[in-house]
Amino acid sequence: MSGRSPRPGEESARQRHKEELSRRIKEQKIVVDELSNLKKNRKVYRQQPNSYIFFLADRTETLSQCKNTLDELKKAHQELENSEKTKIRK
């Protein structure tokens, strides 16, 4: 990146993105925790994107997908943190 300092709009957008990632990570942690604590015989339903329709889903598969999503969100958050630290050092 160039030696120029970021504009105020860029910083606020980056901060909003960071806050949004943090919010989504918290939500995903709750989902993973709830799915992990369900009894084995409980049913899990997944909502179809952009719809009010729910379909029966496999609990272990859903839990696995949610854990993967959480890992991806954490990775994105960590990359954002690392890029900020790199910029501060320059």
Side-chain angles (χ1 to χ4, degrees), residues 6 9-18 80 84 87:
E10 291 175 359
E11 285 299 316
S12 63
R14 186 175 325 219
Q15 185 63 30
R16 281 192 307 271
H17 180 63
K18 186 176 176 183
L80 190 60
E84 287 177 356
K87 288 178 184 174

Side-chain angles (χ1 to χ4, degrees), residues 6-7 9-10 17 23 27 30 32 37 42 48:
R7 292 181 292 206
E10 291 175 359
H17 180 63
R23 185 187 63 77
E27 286 178 1
I30 292 168
V32 167
N37 290 316
R42 296 292 181 187
Q48 291 301 301

Side-chain angles (χ1 to χ4, degrees), residues 1-7 10-11 14 83 86-87 90:
M1 208 169 175
S2 65
R4 70 173 177 83
S5 61
R7 292 181 292 206
E10 291 175 359
E11 285 299 316
R14 186 175 325 219
S83 70
T86 303
K87 288 178 184 174
K90 288 184 178 179

Side-chain angles (χ1 to χ4, degrees), residues 53-69:
I53 300 173
F54 291 81
F55 289 101
L56 186 62
D58 181 63
R59 186 184 64 84
T60 55
E61 185 178 314
T62 303
L63 178 59
S64 176
Q65 290 171 350
C66 289
K67 284 181 178 180
N68 289 340
T69 302

